[in-house]
Amino acid sequence: MQQIIECVPNFSDGRRPEVYTAIADAIRSVSGINVLDVSADADHNRTVVTFVGDAGAVEEAAFRAIAKAAELINLDEHEGEHPRIGATDVVPFVPVRNATMEDCVQLAHRLGQRVGEELGITVYLYGEAATRPEREKLSNIRKGQYEKWRDEIGREPQREPDYGPAEAHSWGATVIGARPFLIAYNLYLNTSDVDKANDIARAVRASSGGLQNVQALGFTVEGQAQVSMNLLNFEKTPLPRVQELVKREAARRGLAVTKSELIGLAPQKALMDAAKWYLQLDDVEDEQILEYRVAQAQQEDPRAASVPHAFLDAVAGNAPTPGGGSVAALAGALGAALAQMMAGLTVGRKKYAGVESQVQELLEAAGEQRAALTQAITEDAKAFDDVMAAYRASDLSDEERRQAIEEATIHAGEVPLEVARRSRAVAELARDVARLGNANAVTDAAAGGIMARAAAEAAALNVRVNASQLQDQERAEGWRNELSSLLSETTALVDQLMEIATERGGF
């Protein structure tokens, strides 16, 4: 089964959409990453992104996000309710499936070293990855926040980093670590008195003699007092217990909880445990919950779960994206996957030992093309959305709007043009692996070539329609000329592939 590691980085900006969107896009740019949530809070001036993937993809995505945040966020100009020490304040890794805490600890060390050496950012390790007992708690590292850290780094021994330079920069320091699931959970009170919220937080949190595995602080958010909490182990200290203690402490002060707020994501078990407690469903089994039964059925037949129902439904919907360009990219990715499949069925077989090294190269190349074309599925949809946004940009002058439309249209043409280029490459890979690989899978390679040709032709339609809208007709003509060559070459490659498949497949 696929490895899944969760990463929940916190960035010190929740007020500028262009900043936290750029950071989230940097994360999304890594193949194999699924961004599950982007939660921005203007009062805390903080954004929490939740994404998952395997160890390699998660490491790369976190690195790109840290680099982008350092580029866009200046802590010398930052103000907000939440404690912080860096532009990328904290980067925790959480094992979810087929991953251990030790895997996450090693991941934290690799990323920390890379961030320190390549980006020149001061790095501290915390949680399960901490190198010193006093750094296990994030609050100990962040004590005094950015301003005190800036004054003490390079002077005080306790500020010596685990990786990176012992010197202050406007992007601050980044704390990287490994931990179990953490639930960020806030309760609002019917008062604006933050002192009372702090009194309740003090009664609740572990460091003041309250509940174990609970961190809590009081804040004012939009004029309302808030008890902001991190639940470090919801199985040992469940949500209902925390909720009830806050309510009792509030009642003692003549207050009431008006609403709760979940920041980012939480495990389904935590909410199910809360539902069971409050509804007194002590004997209810997980199998009685519809979604659990559906997930169980999918696990029993994983092929059913692999069907991209959500994408198909989105294409079939009445929104303009995802459309033909995204479908073209998907077709190209499927073609690459089929070539990769045939190569995978060849490598390691004694019968094909003589071509092992060649097929291994084809296997790796097909994987690279599949990853790039998969990324293009969302890139194409976003490029179209950007064109529409440029047309609707009423806050720009006429000249600025024309320029914005031109730039967006160029990008909207370049994405499918790259799909056509890669689809041509996929057709060549499919031909080569069909010639060398396991004959039992030759029809799969042939199908991959057909998908590549369809992808190239469909992508070409998008290139042409964007070319027709360009003011820069020299660029447009260059696109058309390249397309003509790409389509001709792709067709020739697929024709060769079909001859090979017919001969080797015996049909």
Side-chain angles (χ1 to χ4, degrees):
M1 294 177 67
Q2 179 187 7
Q3 182 188 61
I4 298 179
I5 292 175
E6 179 190 47
C7 184
V8 195
N10 290 221
F11 303 97
S12 296
D13 195 301
R15 297 173 182 170
R16 296 180 293 169
E18 68 275 15
V19 171
Y20 56 74
T21 298
I23 294 170
D25 285 345
I27 294 169
R28 292 188 181 100
S29 70
V30 177
S31 178
I33 286 296
N34 188 357
V35 175
L36 303 178
D37 185 69
V38 179
S39 181
D41 186 313
D43 289 288
H44 288 176
N45 202 5
R46 192 173 184 85
T47 295
V48 179
V49 181
T50 304
F51 63 93
V52 295
D54 63 28
V58 165
E59 178 182 339
E60 179 61 27
F63 179 84
R64 293 187 192 182
I66 293 168
K68 181 60 68 174
E71 174 189 333
L72 298 177
I73 299 173
N74 184 341
L75 266 292
D76 291 321
E77 301 171 354
H78 180 272
E79 293 180 353
E81 289 284 343
H82 203 287
R84 79 284 185 268
I85 195 173
T88 303
D89 191 52
V90 58
V91 182
F93 295 111
V94 182
V96 177
R97 188 173 73 190
N98 290 337
T100 65
M101 186 61 71
E102 182 58 27
D103 292 332
C104 291
V105 169
Q106 294 303 316
L107 175 54
H109 278 271
R110 288 197 307 272
L111 178 65
Q113 182 174 8
R114 187 178 173 195
V115 168
E117 292 177 354
E118 297 182 30
L119 300 179
I121 295 175
T122 303
V123 173
Y124 300 98
L125 297 175
Y126 89 110
E128 298 290 334
T131 57
R132 307 181 190 180
E134 66 272 18
R135 289 184 179 174
E136 290 180 9
K137 290 185 178 180
L138 176 61
S139 57
N140 290 344
I141 300 173
R142 205 162 51 191
K143 189 174 182 179
Q145 300 198 52
Y146 166 73
E147 288 75 15
K148 189 171 183 180
W149 170 85
R150 180 185 57 196
D151 294 341
E152 293 182 349
I153 185 68
R155 298 186 180 92
E156 300 294 335
Q158 69 269 21
R159 296 290 190 180
E160 185 67 23
D162 289 296
Y163 297 105
E167 56 190 40
H169 292 280
S170 62
W171 50 71
T174 293
V175 186
I176 301 174
R179 60 163 174 77
F181 276 111
L182 176 150
I183 299 176
Y185 183 62
N186 303 329
L187 296 176
Y188 288 82
L189 307 171
N190 61 339
T191 181
S192 60
D193 190 342
V194 72
D195 289 336
K196 290 186 177 180
N198 269 314
D199 288 343
I200 295 171
R202 194 173 298 111
V204 171
R205 65 184 176 232
S207 62
S208 301
L211 296 174
Q212 290 299 310
N213 307 299
V214 175
Q215 299 171 331
L217 289 171
F219 295 107
T220 301
V221 178
E222 296 181 352
Q224 191 172 2
Q226 174 199 89
V227 181
S228 177
M229 294 174 288
N230 285 335
L231 278 58
L232 306 182
N233 191 324
F234 72 88
E235 295 192 88
K236 292 183 177 179
T237 309
L239 273 170
R241 189 177 303 165
V242 178
Q243 178 95 1
E244 291 303 309
L245 181 56
V246 172
K247 288 168 67 175
R248 286 200 298 271
E249 291 294 331
R252 286 183 58 227
R253 295 163 175 81
L255 302 174
V257 173
T258 60
K259 68 174 182 177
S260 304
E261 178 182 52
L262 182 67
I263 303 299
L265 303 183
Q268 189 173 24
K269 186 178 187 303
L271 302 181
M272 275 300 303
D273 288 348
K276 290 177 183 179
W277 193 90
Y278 279 109
L279 297 176
Q280 296 180 280
L281 291 170
D282 298 329
D283 298 326
V284 72
E285 299 292 336
D286 287 347
E287 289 73 17
Q288 293 178 257
I289 308 302
L290 174 63
E291 288 78 5
Y292 280 9
R293 289 292 294 129
V294 171
Q296 182 180 351
Q298 290 177 338
Q299 288 176 357
E300 292 170 356
D301 185 3
R303 289 170 297 184
S306 68
V307 178
H309 294 289
F311 182 76
L312 293 173
D313 290 342
V315 172
N318 57 8
T321 57
S326 293
V327 171
L330 174 61
L334 288 170
L338 285 166
Q340 195 174 3
M341 172 187 174
M342 184 176 183
L345 290 169
T346 305
V347 170
R349 303 291 179 94
K350 291 182 179 180
K351 183 177 179 180
Y352 299 99
V355 294
E356 172 109 9
S357 61
Q358 294 167 271
V359 176
Q360 180 64 44
E361 290 179 6
L362 294 172
L363 176 66
E364 293 171 2
E368 291 172 3
Q369 294 295 349
R370 178 171 64 88
L373 286 161
T374 300
Q375 184 65 36
I377 295 171
T378 52
E379 287 178 358
D380 186 90
K382 184 178 184 303
F384 178 85
D385 292 342
D386 289 346
V387 172
M388 292 298 98
Y391 273 102
R392 299 188 191 107
S394 58
D395 57 334
L396 301 178
S397 68
D398 289 345
E399 180 56 33
E400 288 172 335
R401 186 165 168 271
R402 278 194 295 272
Q403 184 61 31
I405 291 171
E406 180 77 356
E407 291 175 359
T409 304
I410 289 172
H411 183 57
E414 287 177 340
V415 173
L417 181 58
E418 183 64 16
V419 169
R421 291 171 183 146
R422 291 188 178 280
S423 297
R424 183 253 177 237
V426 169
E428 185 172 11
L429 287 167
R431 181 203 64 183
D432 292 346
V433 77
R435 178 185 293 133
L436 298 172
N438 190 329
N440 293 326
V442 71
T443 55
D444 296 300
I450 293 170
M451 295 299 292
R453 180 169 59 192
E457 291 176 353
L461 295 175
N462 275 20
V463 177
R464 291 190 183 107
V465 73
N466 283 289
S468 69
Q469 303 299 315
L470 282 184
Q471 298 176 40
D472 184 355
Q473 280 301 299
E474 183 178 348
R475 182 192 298 269
E477 189 59 27
W479 285 357
R480 295 187 189 101
N481 290 337
E482 184 177 357
L483 275 179
S484 179
S485 297
L486 284 171
L487 293 178
S488 176
E489 292 169 10
T490 302
T491 298
L493 287 164
V494 175
D495 287 345
Q496 294 168 25
L497 168 59
M498 295 307 295
E499 290 178 9
I500 295 168
T502 300
E503 180 182 348
R504 297 195 70 202
F507 55 88

